[in-house]
Amino acid sequence: MDQDSHCIAERELLEAVNRITTFSTTSPTDEERNQPKAGISCQVRKENPEKDDLQDSRASLSPNSSMTTKELQEYWRNEKRQCRQVKLLFEIPSTRIVEHHLSKYVMYKIIILQTGSFDSNKSVIERRYSDFEKLHRNLLEEFSEEMEDVTFPKKTLTGNFTEEIINERKLAFKDYLRLLYSMKYIRRSKKFIDFLTRPELQEAYGCLRGGQYTKALEILLEVIGLQERLTRGNPVSVVPTLCAIVVCHKDLENAASAFEYGEKALSRLRVHTSHRYYMPLLETMITLAYELGKDFLSLQEKLEEWKAKKDPVRVFTLKELAVREYVQ
């Protein structure tokens, strides 16, 4: 490609990026909202993103004339990914009856898929009727107005374990989850997210505290994908889970994998340096970088800079922080 063609290509890419950036940050008019959407959907940006969304947007790279064509292409791809609407689909394909001592209950298998893009990492969890019931009760306390017309399948005095009742509840719970997820404030609420992730996280952290790092890591890697999809508006919320994965990989002597997940956690804390995980994570990353022969001086500079700004206080190690999560 000659110099003139190279410059033309850069200008065209820059104009395209500017159009995407403007589209992503400008609120649409009522008329625009009613028009059919084509191409990339930016619904996530339209729904008044939370504080962390805005901070991440400000902290992200801005297109400018000094960027190379390759950098502009990468920026464009990142912007398109951020604008793509993410929706989750809930399916309950099967159930199983559990008999434990004097109790008997039905476990509902819930499959959670991401629509709108290829999602090979489906999430599979199990919940019983009492788990749904607790979720409904908690949501009624916080979102009484939004939950006003939401119906919940009632328990019956008899027949709870018949095939007919179980099949009816499978359909009812599927519709129930879809309806809850369709309501912005509910799907972003801690109570809804906890319902879908907390039991697995509690089990994983219990294994971590018991030194069962392989089992803990297996569960954490299964739940992190779902947790990230549920908390796209608040990326900092997955930092503890990412750090727990770092701890497991490190104790299993998988330094390269530990460093990889540590980088993911640090990227979410780039504008949250006061976060309780920031300094312990930096210290761990310095150790891992040195072990792997990577650049640790830049990490060391960040750590010294952080220490210079903060009063000297006792700080837990990354592992000490991890084992304290989800302690009842």
Side-chain angles (χ1 to χ4, degrees), residues 33-58:
R33 284 196 190 95
N34 294 326
Q35 294 298 319
K37 303 296 186 296
I40 302 168
S41 173
C42 289
Q43 185 67 28
V44 174
R45 296 279 180 118
K46 293 174 189 174
E47 291 184 344
N48 297 323
E50 297 174 354
K51 185 177 180 181
D52 286 310
D53 281 314
L54 298 175
Q55 288 173 327
D56 287 342
S57 177
R58 295 190 191 105

Side-chain angles (χ1 to χ4, degrees), residues 111-138:
I111 297 179
I112 306 163
L113 295 167
Q114 179 176 311
T115 63
S117 63
F118 179 72
D119 182 22
S120 60
N121 297 318
K122 65 182 179 182
S123 299
V124 181
I125 60 176
E126 282 190 318
R127 298 293 182 267
R128 54 188 291 187
Y129 182 96
S130 59
D131 296 324
F132 282 97
E133 193 174 39
K134 181 180 178 181
L135 170 66
H136 190 71
R137 186 167 58 250
N138 289 339

Side-chain angles (χ1 to χ4, degrees), residues 49-196:
E50 297 174 354
K51 185 177 180 181
D52 286 310
D53 281 314
L54 298 175
Q55 288 173 327
D56 287 342
S57 177
R58 295 190 191 105
S60 63
L61 183 64
S62 298
N64 57 68
S65 58
S66 66
M67 295 171 68
T68 66
T69 302
K70 183 177 180 180
E71 289 172 336
L72 283 166
Q73 289 173 334
E74 181 62 26
Y75 181 86
W76 191 5
R77 282 193 292 268
N78 289 336
E79 282 296 309
K80 288 164 71 177
R81 281 196 293 268
Q82 290 173 6
C83 289
R84 187 179 295 122
Q85 183 179 8
V86 174
K87 290 184 177 179
L88 297 182
L89 178 67
F90 299 88
E91 296 291 343
I92 304 181
S94 61
T95 62
R96 63 187 179 95
I97 297 176
V98 178
E99 295 190 53
H100 184 67
H101 296 304
L102 299 178
S103 64
K104 182 179 179 181
Y105 52 87
V106 179
M107 294 294 290
Y108 296 85
K109 181 180 180 180
I110 306 169
I111 297 179
I112 306 163
L113 295 167
Q114 179 176 311
T115 63
S117 63
F118 179 72
D119 182 22
S120 60
N121 297 318
K122 65 182 179 182
S123 299
V124 181
I125 60 176
E126 282 190 318
R127 298 293 182 267
R128 54 188 291 187
Y129 182 96
S130 59
D131 296 324
F132 282 97
E133 193 174 39
K134 181 180 178 181
L135 170 66
H136 190 71
R137 186 167 58 250
N138 289 339
L139 291 176
L140 282 174
E141 292 176 359
E142 187 174 351
F143 304 101
S144 56
E145 186 175 342
E146 290 86 345
M147 296 288 292
E148 187 176 0
D149 297 323
V150 178
T151 58
F152 187 81
K154 301 294 183 182
K155 263 189 176 178
T156 58
L157 294 177
T158 59
N160 286 299
F161 300 101
T162 63
E163 184 177 352
E164 181 182 1
I165 293 295
I166 291 175
N167 286 333
E168 285 179 3
R169 286 183 179 167
K170 277 170 51 179
L171 295 173
F173 283 141
K174 180 178 72 172
D175 292 339
Y176 178 74
L177 290 174
R178 288 180 175 181
L179 180 57
L180 294 183
Y181 185 76
S182 71
M183 294 184 275
K184 178 178 67 175
Y185 296 110
I186 289 180
R187 73 169 173 264
R188 292 181 177 179
S189 71
K190 185 177 184 300
K191 291 175 180 178
F192 182 69
I193 294 170
D194 279 352
F195 168 79
L196 296 171

Side-chain angles (χ1 to χ4, degrees), residues 202-228:
Q202 285 178 321
E203 182 183 0
Y205 279 99
C207 292
L208 192 157
R209 283 189 290 273
Q212 302 176 49
Y213 302 115
T214 300
K215 179 62 176 177
L217 183 60
E218 179 185 335
I219 300 171
L220 290 168
L221 290 175
E222 287 180 358
V223 77
I224 186 65
L226 174 59
Q227 198 178 17
E228 287 179 323

